[in-house]
Amino acid sequence: MRGTTVGAVALAVAGTLALTGCKNGNEEVAPAPPSQSAGAGAPSAASSAPASPSAGGSEAPAGAAGTAKSGQAFKLGETATVPFDYGNNKGGTIALTVTTVEQGNPSDLDSLNLGDKVKGMIPYYVRYTVKNVGTTDLAYSSVGHIKGLLPDGSEAQGVSVIGKFEKCKDDSLPKGFTNGQSQAGCAIALAPSAQTKVVGAQYWGNPYNSLSNGKPLTWK
């Protein structure tokens, strides 16, 4: 979907309010990547913190030694090493860092033509980086599975954009995404009102979800 204009969006909270169309990496279903070549500024609501993981859950997910434990909690700016599969790209390992959670303006959403569906809501941009620290080429993979968190620990409503949204780019990983390569990403999270902020984020990709008897990783 690179280089296209925004064509449609999908609002989702626990699987509700979804429009059909292509996925942008924030969805659970992940198609196999192609075997041939394929294809500013909002005020800060949270700042990054120095990296040094803090203990969270006690269950260790499947993966190499040193990977984040199920339910482990991190501060913004800290890095979690997680096992990662996408389509035919199996056995990968990534270093995932949620760097900031930035507050946007309601007018940012005007170009998405969501109308009353987002009336009164405030967009936040969960910015993160992905680094390949394994031996698998993760070209054309989409990381996704990142949602905003509200102060009470519940999930913020997300927006999946089909096409480009310059305020919060979420591209698939490029060709040749091998060990040592890194890329920035972004997920949109909606606060229900101006009185409620998005204060953190969670990653619920396998094995950190209920389907794998795991719990999401969190950043605050």
Side-chain angles (χ1 to χ4, degrees), residues 72-132:
Q72 189 166 351
F74 299 86
K75 294 180 180 179
L76 291 171
E78 292 181 344
T79 299
T81 301
V82 302
F84 183 77
D85 293 339
Y86 183 90
N88 292 330
N89 297 336
K90 303 295 184 182
T93 306
I94 60 173
L96 178 64
T97 309
V98 176
T99 54
T100 60
V101 179
E102 297 178 1
Q103 182 179 334
N105 297 307
S107 60
D108 294 346
L109 303 174
D110 290 350
S111 63
L112 303 182
N113 299 315
L114 294 170
D116 289 342
K117 292 179 181 178
V118 294
K119 186 176 181 179
M121 294 183 175
I122 309 297
Y124 283 75
Y125 305 123
V126 179
R127 303 195 186 278
Y128 58 91
T129 60
V130 177
K131 182 177 182 179
N132 190 340

Side-chain angles (χ1 to χ4, degrees), residues 3 6-8 18 29 35 37 48 67 82 91 123 126 133 137 161 169-170 182 186 191 203:
V6 174
V29 180
S35 56
S37 60
S48 63
T67 58
V82 302
V126 179
V133 293
D137 185 350
V161 179
K169 295 181 180 180
D170 185 21
S182 61
C186 181
Y203 173 72

Side-chain angles (χ1 to χ4, degrees), residues 171-218:
D171 297 324
S172 60
L173 301 178
K175 179 180 179 180
F177 198 80
T178 54
N179 183 276
Q181 299 296 310
S182 61
Q183 177 169 292
C186 181
I188 305 172
L190 300 179
S193 69
Q195 290 70 45
T196 304
K197 296 182 180 296
V198 176
V199 297
Q202 69 175 21
Y203 173 72
W204 53 279
N206 184 56
Y208 307 102
N209 53 48
S210 58
L211 294 177
S212 303
N213 296 316
K215 298 178 181 179
L217 306 179
T218 58

